[in-house]
Amino acid sequence: MAEVNLQEIHDTLLSIAFEAGRMILGANPNDVSTGTKLNSVDIVTETDQAVERMISTRLKTTYPTFAFVGEETYVAGETRVTDAPTFIVDPIDGTTNFIHGFPNACVSLGFAVGRVPSVGVVYNPFQDLLFTGIRGHGSFVQRNASLAEGAAGRGPKQRLPLAGRGSGAAAPPLTGLGAALVAVEWGSSRDGPNFEVKARTFERLAASREAGGSMVHSLRSLGSAALNLCACAAGQVDAYWEGGCYAWDVCAGWCILAEAGGFVASGNPGEWEPAIDSRVYLAVRGAPSGQRELVEEFWAVIGDGRMDYQH
Ligand code: IPD
Ligand code: CA
């Protein structure tokens, strides 16, 4: 097996992310041809497909022995994430935002070894906002990221989490759901048992204590699993819960979150170390205390509901 140099892979993914960003910005979502997959809200555009072709061509040329899993070439029941070094890629995460011109979409480039997210590059070209992480070497955010090196205006790289939410102090402890800002997503399944678990959990999270709820500070949906995970890595949300997304939605953001002191538990109660392709996730931000307690409190809210998605 070829030697794995994570820094070199990170540098390659960065260059690809900027090229993908130019392609995404160059596409007019009003003109691109659009199709659907599972249903009318599971949308794919010709830009998603063109960007993935560019990414896979570049990666297969540079790293011909490494495996590649991409959203647009995934075949249900056939494509698997194995232990081999694998690029796990979503050409546009946040396609719904992309077609609506809502500026929260990104290219999500992950690399896993032994099914462990080991490099993550998440780039939102609409905001020129870059998140990166390398296993064992920390994770970072950079604004104005694509400006030429040294050019005036290029933002500094800031280590994640953004300490004290930007105040320069240490990341605060987690003190429970009642003080939490929580990211969630409706996803594309809009009926059946999974949908019921989600809708019921959203209601319980939001409801007042008097009404039997957790009364979280609020719920947020960035419309991109990768950007939700990066917001969690930054400490901008305290937790992110979702069922239904895939390995390519989470691989890059997972690495970035883990390097910022956070972790991903299962979105179903009881499992602390979910597989990368388990499709149900609960991410928690870095904090000096209260992480496991927050997960247990969240699992109690879900109760005996379980989400179960086909692979
Ligand atoms: C979707 C986004 C969304 C999440 C869905 C994903 P896509 O990815 O990450 O936030 O709720 O589960 O499928 O379709 O924009 O690549
Ligand atoms: Ca996608």
Side-chain angles (χ1 to χ4, degrees):
M1 187 192 298
E3 198 186 321
V4 178
N5 179 334
L6 297 182
Q7 180 65 52
E8 184 192 282
I9 286 167
H10 163 276
D11 296 349
T12 303
L13 293 180
L14 201 56
S15 152
I16 292 174
F18 289 140
E19 183 170 352
R22 286 188 291 274
M23 290 176 75
I24 294 167
L25 283 183
N28 180 345
N30 295 320
D31 289 344
V32 296
S33 94
T34 300
T36 56
K37 295 189 271 191
L38 182 67
N39 58 32
S40 64
V41 299
D42 189 9
I43 301 162
V44 58
T45 73
E46 62 185 340
T47 311
D48 297 67
Q49 291 162 336
V51 173
E52 181 163 321
R53 273 196 300 277
M54 178 280 289
I55 296 169
S56 66
T57 304
R58 282 192 61 177
L59 287 176
K60 284 173 184 169
T61 308
T62 315
Y63 297 104
T65 61
F66 290 170
F68 177 89
V69 172
E71 173 168 15
E72 308 311 337
T73 43
Y74 160 82
V75 181
E78 276 181 35
T79 310
R80 303 237 178 272
V81 179
T82 69
D83 281 337
T86 305
F87 292 106
I88 305 180
V89 163
D90 190 345
I92 302 181
D93 188 38
T95 299
T96 305
N97 286 339
F98 170 63
I99 62 165
H100 285 271
F102 192 87
N104 252 7
C106 61
V107 52
S108 174
L109 303 173
F111 179 69
V113 184
R115 290 164 58 87
V116 176
S118 301
V119 180
V121 172
V122 172
Y123 177 56
N124 175 351
F126 300 100
Q127 298 174 0
D128 203 6
L129 184 64
L130 174 71
F131 296 90
T132 57
I134 301 177
R135 193 168 183 214
H137 295 275
S139 55
F140 300 87
V141 62
Q142 189 174 29
R143 298 182 175 82
N144 300 326
S146 71
L147 297 180
E149 188 82 65
R154 188 179 208 213
K157 264 176 94 169
Q158 290 177 279
R159 187 177 274 274
L160 298 175
L162 293 173
R165 295 171 181 155
S167 71
L174 286 160
T175 55
L177 283 176
L181 186 62
V182 178
V184 295
E185 294 286 344
W186 287 102
S188 49
S189 306
R190 300 294 173 83
D191 55 22
N194 292 330
F195 182 71
E196 281 162 29
V197 172
K198 278 196 179 183
R200 195 172 59 233
T201 303
F202 295 169
E203 188 179 356
R204 289 176 180 169
L205 287 169
S208 71
R209 297 269 163 178
E210 293 73 20
S214 310
M215 204 166 175
V216 295
H217 276 183
S218 198
L219 300 174
R220 294 285 178 269
S221 294
L222 299 186
S224 151
L227 291 174
N228 283 321
L229 286 165
C230 289
C232 199
Q236 295 159 337
V237 298
D238 297 294
Y240 163 47
W241 180 65
E242 181 157 9
C245 50
Y246 289 84
W248 51 78
D249 295 307
V250 298
C251 180
W254 187 322
C255 173
I256 292 163
L257 174 68
E259 287 303 311
F263 65 83
V264 180
S266 174
N268 282 327
E271 203 188 326
W272 288 99
E273 294 187 2
I276 189 169
D277 51 2
S278 64
R279 303 195 60 194
V280 282
Y281 312 98
L282 173 57
V284 184
R285 71 164 168 86
S289 61
Q291 289 177 302
R292 288 179 75 90
E293 291 82 352
L294 192 87
V295 170
E296 280 165 350
E297 190 183 349
F298 202 113
W299 283 346
V301 173
I302 302 169
D304 52 13
R306 274 191 82 78
M307 296 180 291
D308 184 15
Y309 293 89
Q310 302 281 318
H311 284 74

